[in-house]
Amino acid sequence: MKKIFIIFILVMCLTLTSCNLGHIEDTNGDESFELSTLSKDEIFTYNTSTTVGVSEVSKNSSFTFKCKKLSGNYLIKTLTPRDRFLKVTIDFNITDGNAFLALVCDKEVIYEIPYNKSSVYNISGSKNVQLRILGESCNVSIRMNISEE
């Protein structure tokens, strides 16, 4: 019985300390949400991500993404205009860590999304457009509404 208890305590300690494994530390303080370890160009080359507490909800033309802790490069949503004009409203909020959010197409940043505000973007063409985030231990919430123009 004593061995089982010790093993249980050991497993709990490992589980609780592993929450930060794979996360990129926020090294520029609580006042800045700008990337400090990753560079914006790594949105095309950095291939891993670590997340805790991800929630994605799609309903009709709206989409919500929330993550309690995200590090690395994460594909949030792919938009397919199919030669239509799309009006995309993005509300991007960050409360902790650092992040860079962008709409990208063919290894090119189309729009950099500012944090803690709502912005409107027009997208057209036949190629897929991705909403990607680079994060450093960030807590984010993103709401997106899509309408055809």
Side-chain angles (χ1 to χ4, degrees):
M1 185 68 167
K2 192 175 182 180
K3 287 182 183 181
I4 293 174
F5 180 72
I6 291 172
I7 291 172
F8 175 75
I9 295 296
L10 184 62
V11 169
M12 290 302 294
C13 288
L14 288 173
T15 303
L16 293 174
T17 59
S18 68
C19 289
N20 277 338
L21 291 179
H23 281 285
I24 301 167
E25 186 179 354
D26 175 6
T27 58
N28 61 351
D30 295 338
E31 292 79 34
S32 175
F33 298 123
E34 298 295 322
L35 294 176
S36 61
T37 302
L38 298 172
S39 70
K40 292 178 180 181
D41 292 336
E42 289 180 279
I43 203 157
F44 304 111
T45 59
Y46 197 85
N47 294 323
T48 61
S49 64
T50 303
T51 58
V52 174
V54 173
S55 168
E56 295 182 18
V57 178
S58 289
K59 186 174 183 183
N60 299 329
S61 62
S62 67
F63 176 79
T64 302
F65 172 86
K66 294 181 182 179
C67 187
K68 293 192 183 293
K69 194 169 190 179
L70 181 145
S71 289
N73 185 357
Y74 191 87
L75 171 62
I76 296 173
K77 183 90 172 152
T78 299
L79 304 173
T80 309
R82 293 191 183 111
D83 293 322
R84 299 172 292 169
F85 290 95
L86 300 180
K87 178 181 172 185
V88 181
T89 304
I90 299 174
D91 190 10
F92 173 38
N93 293 297
I94 179 170
T95 57
D96 196 24
N98 307 315
F100 171 65
L101 184 68
L103 287 166
V104 300
C105 180
D106 285 342
K107 303 252 182 206
E108 181 181 338
V109 172
I110 300 172
Y111 296 109
E112 291 187 19
I113 315 301
Y115 53 82
N116 296 334
K117 69 183 285 188
S118 183
S119 305
V120 179
Y121 305 94
N122 293 310
I123 297 171
S124 63
S126 60
K127 296 182 180 181
N128 289 344
V129 175
Q130 297 177 332
L131 180 64
R132 289 194 160 273
I133 188 168
L134 270 179
E136 299 170 347
S137 297
C138 62
N139 182 337
V140 295
S141 171
I142 300 163
R143 284 195 317 265
M144 180 168 52
N145 290 310
I146 305 163
S147 61
E148 286 189 42
E149 291 286 303

